[in-house]
Amino acid sequence: MSRKDPQGPSKGVSSTVLPANKLVVDGVSKWFRTPRTTVHALDNISIEVSAGEVICIVGPSGCGKSTLLDIIAGLTKPDTGRVLADGELVIEPGRQRLMVFQEPSLFPWLDVFGNVMFGLNLCPELTRAERVETAHRFIALIGLENFEHAHVHELSGGMKQRVALARALAPDPQVLLMDEPFGALDAMTREHLYDDVQRIWHDSGKTIVFVTHNMREAACLGDRVLLMSSSPGRIVQAFDIPLSRPRSIYDAELVGYAARIADALRGRTGGGVPE
Amino acid sequence: MRRFIAASIFFLGLLTLWQAGAESGRWSPVLFPSPWSVGAYLWDALLDGTLLEAIWVTLKRLLVGYTVGAMIGLPLGLLASSSQTLEDTLGALALGLQTLPSVCWVPLALLWFGQTEGAMLFVVVMGTVWSVIIATDHGARTIPPIYARAARTMGSRGLHLWTMVMLPASLPFLVSGMKQGWAFAWRSLMAAEIFVTILTGFGLGQLLHYGRELNAMDQVIGAMAVIVLIGLLADRVLFSPWERFMHRRWGTNIG
Ligand SMILES: Nc1ncnc2c1ncn2[C@@H]1O[C@H](COP(=O)(O)OP(=O)(O)O)[C@@H](O)[C@H]1O
Ligand SMILES: [Mg+2]
């Protein structure tokens, strides 16, 4: 698959934002109004992500991480602020920003192959043969070539998340949004997936926003880790993780970074570390 | 195979009991015919064509009524699920009228339409439509929103979203709604045929009705047996394939 030039092409209006910023979140706030209360979910969030960068967002449960990803994806509208992708205002979901969701999102009426084909079928620039070939290639990439025609309910939790990853990667999005994709998996499966994910990312060079509530996961996967606090959701601190890749979750330096993030969070919340 | 043997023994036992009861002479054979005489009646009716004719007339009415009922009920059910106001009005109406046994529509139908096919159709549609609305409405509310969200990020919109995501996602409740509608249509039609004794077509319900008029108990029981058989068969032919498909795909027994 041909990698798109990270500098463009930005279709449409030229903008004042530097093109090197693949993704710009600019002063985004969000309130949820229910009949009983109003939740201030996000407060003036600003993030800049450059092309090919991996950003991890960590924070306690309920601090607004999913809401932020939804807004970046274009599934939810912010109350204030805006999101720019390639300098263009995000007003609706688009296949340049694909998402791996927190909850199971594979279509049960399709098998593994059908699920991976779903996004490819919406790529008018590909021929039928190219779509099929791409689907096979991504299913092989996640190591499920023997499960192409398995139904969703026949897969383990880890396999489902791999398929969700392949489904999001196959249409070659420029930005990948991942919302606690491994949150529901056991530690062993998760660690195995870190290796896979780092290998796939390295090969594809995608811009990635990865949400987690696990400090070590964040330190392992991110070039940069943003720490969020809750009520209202704010970005309180940023950490650069200048470690070489591939990284091991047991690497002493990496654990050191994770501890520093955890300390920062503890300082904010005064409680234990959510894990 | 074991299950088949158990079922065969059970039903043969029932038949034997029935035969023994008829032979005991305790009850008049007019009121308690033997399985043989019921069988003989069915065989004769099959040969002279009355049975096939009645089945054909009944199925035709059933299919027309059911199709009309489902075609009204499905969109109304989707509509009811789409807004709270419609749920509180249309949904409440459907819930109320669904509790009305379909035979209660017969007097109204007779006054409005007289002894016509229209009356029959009306009763079947009324018996079907409310339960289809309720099942569809309920099902549409329980489609996980995540499917549409995931599809939209991949660029699915409008017609593609409806046909490739919403429709298959709603298959489990559509099938259960249609199945429920079928059961109600079948019951309503039998009620209608027994009470609406028109001569434009002689259905199974009318066979039952005239069996009573003529004191022909073998005809009454024979017609009942055929009605049971058709109900079972319809379930097998119309709904089982869908339910098997969903069981394979979803991995659970929904619907
Ligand atoms: N659709 C919604 N309606 C009302 N409140 C919501 C909605 N979505 C999220 N929230 C609230 O916004 C806050 C942030 O939620 P979320 O983004 O899911 O957090 P996280 O993903 O970090 O766990 C929570 O307090 C949650 O209750
Ligand atoms: Mg979340």
Side-chain angles (χ1 to χ4, degrees), chain B residues 57-74:
Chain B
V57 166
T58 293
L59 283 184
K60 216 164 48 187
R61 284 173 181 155
L62 183 65
L63 280 177
V64 171
Y66 175 62
T67 310
V68 171
M71 270 171 27
I72 298 173
L74 281 176

PDB file of all heavy atoms in Angstrom, chain B residues 57-74:
ATOM      1  N   VAL B  57     -57.241 -21.748   0.268  1.00  0.00           N
ATOM      2  CA  VAL B  57     -57.982 -20.515   0.566  1.00  0.00           C
ATOM      3  C   VAL B  57     -57.434 -19.869   1.842  1.00  0.00           C
ATOM      4  O   VAL B  57     -57.161 -18.666   1.905  1.00  0.00           O
ATOM      5  CB  VAL B  57     -59.490 -20.827   0.720  1.00  0.00           C
ATOM      6  CG1 VAL B  57     -60.219 -19.661   1.367  1.00  0.00           C
ATOM      7  CG2 VAL B  57     -60.088 -21.163  -0.635  1.00  0.00           C
ATOM      8  N   THR B  58     -57.212 -20.706   2.848  1.00  0.00           N
ATOM      9  CA  THR B  58     -56.728 -20.185   4.127  1.00  0.00           C
ATOM     10  C   THR B  58     -55.337 -19.575   3.990  1.00  0.00           C
ATOM     11  O   THR B  58     -55.074 -18.475   4.484  1.00  0.00           O
ATOM     12  CB  THR B  58     -56.704 -21.324   5.166  1.00  0.00           C
ATOM     13  OG1 THR B  58     -58.047 -21.707   5.420  1.00  0.00           O
ATOM     14  CG2 THR B  58     -56.069 -20.878   6.457  1.00  0.00           C
ATOM     15  N   LEU B  59     -54.458 -20.296   3.312  1.00  0.00           N
ATOM     16  CA  LEU B  59     -53.085 -19.793   3.188  1.00  0.00           C
ATOM     17  C   LEU B  59     -53.042 -18.489   2.414  1.00  0.00           C
ATOM     18  O   LEU B  59     -52.256 -17.597   2.719  1.00  0.00           O
ATOM     19  CB  LEU B  59     -52.199 -20.836   2.498  1.00  0.00           C
ATOM     20  CG  LEU B  59     -51.758 -21.999   3.390  1.00  0.00           C
ATOM     21  CD1 LEU B  59     -50.812 -22.914   2.633  1.00  0.00           C
ATOM     22  CD2 LEU B  59     -51.097 -21.483   4.656  1.00  0.00           C
ATOM     23  N   LYS B  60     -53.914 -18.400   1.396  1.00  0.00           N
ATOM     24  CA  LYS B  60     -53.948 -17.174   0.603  1.00  0.00           C
ATOM     25  C   LYS B  60     -54.335 -15.992   1.486  1.00  0.00           C
ATOM     26  O   LYS B  60     -53.685 -14.948   1.481  1.00  0.00           O
ATOM     27  CB  LYS B  60     -54.959 -17.343  -0.541  1.00  0.00           C
ATOM     28  CG  LYS B  60     -54.531 -16.672  -1.821  1.00  0.00           C
ATOM     29  CD  LYS B  60     -55.315 -17.159  -3.019  1.00  0.00           C
ATOM     30  CE  LYS B  60     -56.804 -17.169  -2.789  1.00  0.00           C
ATOM     31  NZ  LYS B  60     -57.565 -17.780  -3.877  1.00  0.00           N
ATOM     32  N   ARG B  61     -55.391 -16.191   2.276  1.00  0.00           N
ATOM     33  CA  ARG B  61     -55.833 -15.123   3.177  1.00  0.00           C
ATOM     34  C   ARG B  61     -54.732 -14.789   4.177  1.00  0.00           C
ATOM     35  O   ARG B  61     -54.472 -13.629   4.482  1.00  0.00           O
ATOM     36  CB  ARG B  61     -57.066 -15.580   3.953  1.00  0.00           C
ATOM     37  CG  ARG B  61     -58.313 -15.569   3.115  1.00  0.00           C
ATOM     38  CD  ARG B  61     -59.452 -16.195   3.895  1.00  0.00           C
ATOM     39  NE  ARG B  61     -60.664 -16.221   3.087  1.00  0.00           N
ATOM     40  CZ  ARG B  61     -61.646 -17.094   3.275  1.00  0.00           C
ATOM     41  NH1 ARG B  61     -61.548 -17.999   4.232  1.00  0.00           N
ATOM     42  NH2 ARG B  61     -62.707 -17.055   2.510  1.00  0.00           N
ATOM     43  N   LEU B  62     -54.098 -15.827   4.691  1.00  0.00           N
ATOM     44  CA  LEU B  62     -53.065 -15.631   5.701  1.00  0.00           C
ATOM     45  C   LEU B  62     -51.908 -14.815   5.130  1.00  0.00           C
ATOM     46  O   LEU B  62     -51.452 -13.848   5.734  1.00  0.00           O
ATOM     47  CB  LEU B  62     -52.555 -16.988   6.168  1.00  0.00           C
ATOM     48  CG  LEU B  62     -51.525 -16.949   7.282  1.00  0.00           C
ATOM     49  CD1 LEU B  62     -52.142 -16.389   8.546  1.00  0.00           C
ATOM     50  CD2 LEU B  62     -50.977 -18.332   7.553  1.00  0.00           C
ATOM     51  N   LEU B  63     -51.466 -15.202   3.943  1.00  0.00           N
ATOM     52  CA  LEU B  63     -50.312 -14.519   3.363  1.00  0.00           C
ATOM     53  C   LEU B  63     -50.629 -13.064   3.054  1.00  0.00           C
ATOM     54  O   LEU B  63     -49.829 -12.181   3.341  1.00  0.00           O
ATOM     55  CB  LEU B  63     -49.849 -15.244   2.092  1.00  0.00           C
ATOM     56  CG  LEU B  63     -48.999 -16.478   2.392  1.00  0.00           C
ATOM     57  CD1 LEU B  63     -48.627 -17.198   1.116  1.00  0.00           C
ATOM     58  CD2 LEU B  63     -47.736 -16.079   3.150  1.00  0.00           C
ATOM     59  N   VAL B  64     -51.827 -12.834   2.490  1.00  0.00           N
ATOM     60  CA  VAL B  64     -52.184 -11.447   2.168  1.00  0.00           C
ATOM     61  C   VAL B  64     -52.278 -10.631   3.454  1.00  0.00           C
ATOM     62  O   VAL B  64     -51.659  -9.569   3.591  1.00  0.00           O
ATOM     63  CB  VAL B  64     -53.520 -11.392   1.390  1.00  0.00           C
ATOM     64  CG1 VAL B  64     -53.987  -9.950   1.248  1.00  0.00           C
ATOM     65  CG2 VAL B  64     -53.356 -12.043   0.027  1.00  0.00           C
ATOM     66  N   GLY B  65     -52.995 -11.146   4.444  1.00  0.00           N
ATOM     67  CA  GLY B  65     -53.187 -10.414   5.692  1.00  0.00           C
ATOM     68  C   GLY B  65     -51.868 -10.185   6.414  1.00  0.00           C
ATOM     69  O   GLY B  65     -51.593  -9.083   6.892  1.00  0.00           O
ATOM     70  N   TYR B  66     -51.053 -11.229   6.439  1.00  0.00           N
ATOM     71  CA  TYR B  66     -49.781 -11.133   7.137  1.00  0.00           C
ATOM     72  C   TYR B  66     -48.867 -10.126   6.456  1.00  0.00           C
ATOM     73  O   TYR B  66     -48.224  -9.299   7.109  1.00  0.00           O
ATOM     74  CB  TYR B  66     -49.129 -12.513   7.158  1.00  0.00           C
ATOM     75  CG  TYR B  66     -47.750 -12.543   7.753  1.00  0.00           C
ATOM     76  CD1 TYR B  66     -47.541 -12.197   9.079  1.00  0.00           C
ATOM     77  CD2 TYR B  66     -46.665 -12.943   6.986  1.00  0.00           C
ATOM     78  CE1 TYR B  66     -46.280 -12.236   9.627  1.00  0.00           C
ATOM     79  CE2 TYR B  66     -45.397 -12.987   7.529  1.00  0.00           C
ATOM     80  CZ  TYR B  66     -45.209 -12.636   8.853  1.00  0.00           C
ATOM     81  OH  TYR B  66     -43.963 -12.678   9.382  1.00  0.00           O
ATOM     82  N   THR B  67     -48.811 -10.202   5.129  1.00  0.00           N
ATOM     83  CA  THR B  67     -47.942  -9.276   4.398  1.00  0.00           C
ATOM     84  C   THR B  67     -48.371  -7.836   4.636  1.00  0.00           C
ATOM     85  O   THR B  67     -47.544  -6.970   4.928  1.00  0.00           O
ATOM     86  CB  THR B  67     -47.987  -9.595   2.898  1.00  0.00           C
ATOM     87  OG1 THR B  67     -47.775 -10.988   2.716  1.00  0.00           O
ATOM     88  CG2 THR B  67     -46.920  -8.826   2.153  1.00  0.00           C
ATOM     89  N   VAL B  68     -49.687  -7.597   4.530  1.00  0.00           N
ATOM     90  CA  VAL B  68     -50.172  -6.232   4.765  1.00  0.00           C
ATOM     91  C   VAL B  68     -49.845  -5.802   6.199  1.00  0.00           C
ATOM     92  O   VAL B  68     -49.312  -4.710   6.433  1.00  0.00           O
ATOM     93  CB  VAL B  68     -51.693  -6.141   4.506  1.00  0.00           C
ATOM     94  CG1 VAL B  68     -52.235  -4.794   4.950  1.00  0.00           C
ATOM     95  CG2 VAL B  68     -51.985  -6.379   3.031  1.00  0.00           C
ATOM     96  N   GLY B  69     -50.125  -6.685   7.155  1.00  0.00           N
ATOM     97  CA  GLY B  69     -49.878  -6.361   8.563  1.00  0.00           C
ATOM     98  C   GLY B  69     -48.411  -6.063   8.824  1.00  0.00           C
ATOM     99  O   GLY B  69     -48.069  -5.086   9.489  1.00  0.00           O
ATOM    100  N   ALA B  70     -47.524  -6.904   8.259  1.00  0.00           N
ATOM    101  CA  ALA B  70     -46.088  -6.709   8.492  1.00  0.00           C
ATOM    102  C   ALA B  70     -45.610  -5.446   7.788  1.00  0.00           C
ATOM    103  O   ALA B  70     -44.772  -4.715   8.317  1.00  0.00           O
ATOM    104  CB  ALA B  70     -45.314  -7.929   7.993  1.00  0.00           C
ATOM    105  N   MET B  71     -46.164  -5.189   6.598  1.00  0.00           N
ATOM    106  CA  MET B  71     -45.699  -4.013   5.853  1.00  0.00           C
ATOM    107  C   MET B  71     -46.141  -2.714   6.513  1.00  0.00           C
ATOM    108  O   MET B  71     -45.488  -1.692   6.373  1.00  0.00           O
ATOM    109  CB  MET B  71     -46.161  -4.072   4.394  1.00  0.00           C
ATOM    110  CG  MET B  71     -45.125  -4.794   3.563  1.00  0.00           C
ATOM    111  SD  MET B  71     -45.534  -5.223   1.878  1.00  0.00           S
ATOM    112  CE  MET B  71     -46.700  -4.045   1.370  1.00  0.00           C
ATOM    113  N   ILE B  72     -47.252  -2.772   7.243  1.00  0.00           N
ATOM    114  CA  ILE B  72     -47.655  -1.592   8.011  1.00  0.00           C
ATOM    115  C   ILE B  72     -46.875  -1.555   9.330  1.00  0.00           C
ATOM    116  O   ILE B  72     -46.398  -0.517   9.772  1.00  0.00           O
ATOM    117  CB  ILE B  72     -49.167  -1.616   8.295  1.00  0.00           C
ATOM    118  CG1 ILE B  72     -49.943  -1.577   6.983  1.00  0.00           C
ATOM    119  CG2 ILE B  72     -49.564  -0.446   9.182  1.00  0.00           C
ATOM    120  CD1 ILE B  72     -51.440  -1.765   7.166  1.00  0.00           C
ATOM    121  N   GLY B  73     -46.742  -2.724   9.951  1.00  0.00           N
ATOM    122  CA  GLY B  73     -46.173  -2.796  11.297  1.00  0.00           C
ATOM    123  C   GLY B  73     -44.692  -2.487  11.364  1.00  0.00           C
ATOM    124  O   GLY B  73     -44.247  -1.781  12.270  1.00  0.00           O
ATOM    125  N   LEU B  74     -43.905  -2.989  10.405  1.00  0.00           N
ATOM    126  CA  LEU B  74     -42.457  -2.783  10.471  1.00  0.00           C
ATOM    127  C   LEU B  74     -42.075  -1.302  10.426  1.00  0.00           C
ATOM    128  O   LEU B  74     -41.375  -0.829  11.321  1.00  0.00           O
ATOM    129  CB  LEU B  74     -41.760  -3.544   9.342  1.00  0.00           C
ATOM    130  CG  LEU B  74     -41.566  -5.040   9.564  1.00  0.00           C
ATOM    131  CD1 LEU B  74     -40.961  -5.698   8.329  1.00  0.00           C
ATOM    132  CD2 LEU B  74     -40.670  -5.290  10.760  1.00  0.00           C
TER     133      LEU B  74
END
